[in-house]
Each structure stands twice: as C-alpha cells, then as structure tokens.
Amino acid sequence: MKKSIVFVCVLMASGSAYSGAKSHWGYSGHEGPESWAKLSADNFACSGKNQSPINLTGFVESGLSPIEFDYKQGGNEILNNGHTVQVNYEAGSSIKVDGQTFNLLQFHFHAPSENHIDGKSYPMEAHLVHADKDGNLAVVAVMFDKGEANKGLQQAWAEMPGHTGDKNQLSKAVSVDDILPENRDFYRFNGSLTTPPCSEGVRWLVMKEAMSASGQQIDAFANILQEPNNRPIQAVNARVILK
Ligand SMILES: [Zn+2]
C-alpha cells in the first residue's frame, strides 16, 4: 500500500460536521477511484449522481452575480498529506456567494487538472476550499497552463514539504489572491468533494481564465506526489453548468 495515511485534506481545518473517511485510499490499484465507494461505508456518496470532477461544457447562460472576494495574506502553513500539497489559511479571508459568506480554509493542488473545460485537461488545478458557518462548502477552482513561472506559487513551492505527513510553517504568509486570474468570470455547477468521502452539495466555482505555471513548478509538485492525483471525470447526469 503506497499511500497509507488517514485522509484529512479538505476536512482538517473546517471544524464542520464532516467527519471524514477513516479508510485508506489512493489513485490507483485496489484503493483507486473505482473502489472508493466500496472502501468504507462513509464513502457511499462516491457513487452518487452529483459528483466532481466533471467536463464543463454545454454551458447555460445565466447572468451569474460576481463572487465577492475578500482575501487577506493568510496562508501560513504548508503540508504534504500524501494525496496533495496544501496551504492552510488563517481565519479572516472569505468569499460571498448567494449572499452567504464562505470562509477560506485552505488551498491545494491537483496534477493534472481534475475538471476539464470543454474537453480540455490542464496540467494543474488549484482548489480553494471554503465553508460557511453551517459547514456548507464552496470550492473556487483555478486552472494552470504550462508557460511562464507563477510568482504567486514561488514562496510556497520553495517551502513545499517533500515527505508525506510533513508540515512547514511558511516563513512569510502567502496570499491566495496571487494565484487568481485578473478576470474573475467563472462557471458554476453543483458537485462534490473529489476525494473520499465525496460528500455532495459543494458549490463549484471554476475560473474561466487559466493562470500559468512553469514546467518546473508543475513537475516539482507532481514529483513530490509520485502519482497523478486527479479523480477521473464523473457523469454530469441531470446537472446544468452555468456561465
Ligand atoms: Zn481538490
């Protein structure tokens, strides 16, 4: 068993009612995505009808209200949990969606991207995980194309922990604003956590404009994880994707 740690990624900082899966899981073999729903009774949602990631396409024009971002410089800790590399955020940064405030808990990465846009997979995707006071989740996703080095990633990347279970205090707090595109137009759909327990009812807000990261930056992240950490595309079923 290659990845044998208790998964706490999305859930660790949330302080919400989500209990998290206590099972081991991974991205290949017996513990791969096809088996997640069977690995633990807690993972029943992994076989649900509103799962993430998806291929975003067939958009419905709907005049979405802009997301109100209120991000401070608050990313102060970086950890490697064996499934991703994650920057934990101190309280005080949030977004407003549907008139509700969702506090930023952490952001983490997947390579290659989990969501696709109009059939296109990107070399990397960031997930900015937020929760409201009742534990409802909203994830802002940012795609990365290979190109110029990303300055916003530089500091976190320099202090990225090489081994599973390692955690580093960042020498200077980072701002997630630095990895968001200038144009904040987005697609929206209802989905789930992309990792066990795959809980549904997650608001997905996918930035239309991709950022760039150098091949070296993308490889540095991918090499630390040793295997791609993208769950395969899930069926859209009855959902609509708004733009
Ligand atoms: Zn994620």
Side-chain angles (χ1 to χ4, degrees), residues 25-100:
W25 59 272
Y27 287 98
S28 57
H30 297 311
E31 300 177 329
E34 308 312 318
S35 308
W36 287 353
K38 288 174 283 184
L39 289 175
S40 158
D42 292 339
N43 298 352
F44 67 94
C46 297
S47 58
K49 295 272 190 255
N50 299 296
Q51 289 288 292
S52 292
I54 59 168
N55 175 31
L56 283 77
T57 192
F59 304 103
V60 175
E61 193 78 59
S62 53
L64 291 166
S65 304
I67 303 167
E68 292 175 46
F69 290 92
D70 182 13
Y71 288 156
K72 316 248 170 11
Q73 205 162 335
N76 51 18
E77 185 179 73
I78 187 164
L79 65 96
N80 173 347
N81 64 22
H83 298 299
T84 190
V85 170
Q86 175 176 318
V87 174
N88 288 331
Y89 230 80
E90 64 185 32
S93 292
S94 61
I95 55 171
K96 210 174 208 185
V97 184
D98 305 331
Q100 274 168 263

Side-chain angles (χ1 to χ4, degrees), residues 62-206:
S62 53
L64 291 166
S65 304
I67 303 167
E68 292 175 46
F69 290 92
D70 182 13
Y71 288 156
K72 316 248 170 11
Q73 205 162 335
N76 51 18
E77 185 179 73
I78 187 164
L79 65 96
N80 173 347
N81 64 22
H83 298 299
T84 190
V85 170
Q86 175 176 318
V87 174
N88 288 331
Y89 230 80
E90 64 185 32
S93 292
S94 61
I95 55 171
K96 210 174 208 185
V97 184
D98 305 331
Q100 274 168 263
T101 300
F102 293 80
N103 295 305
L104 178 62
L105 308 175
Q106 49 100 336
F107 61 95
H108 63 266
F109 297 85
H110 298 267
S113 72
E114 297 207 289
N115 292 296
H116 295 185
I117 299 178
D118 265 331
K120 180 177 156 65
S121 156
Y122 290 78
M124 191 165 79
E125 179 176 349
H127 289 159
L128 287 51
V129 181
H130 309 72
D132 72 5
K133 58 177 174 26
D134 300 317
N136 297 304
L137 298 177
V139 179
V140 171
V142 183
M143 300 296 172
F144 290 83
D145 258 324
K146 197 190 274 192
E148 292 204 359
N150 188 303
K151 289 203 177 79
L153 293 176
Q154 257 166 20
Q155 197 206 328
W157 253 228
E159 300 180 69
M160 196 188 286
H163 299 106
T164 296
D166 285 359
K167 185 157 63 172
N168 292 333
Q169 212 54 39
L170 287 167
S171 51
K172 181 169 170 273
V174 297
S175 174
V176 77
D177 252 336
D178 295 340
I179 64 162
L180 279 181
E182 218 169 272
N183 183 332
R184 303 281 166 95
D185 287 350
F186 63 101
Y187 303 114
R188 176 173 177 168
F189 67 97
N190 289 326
S192 71
L193 301 180
T194 65
T195 53
C198 310
S199 317
E200 295 188 339
V202 179
R203 289 164 167 84
W204 277 88
L205 311 159
V206 179

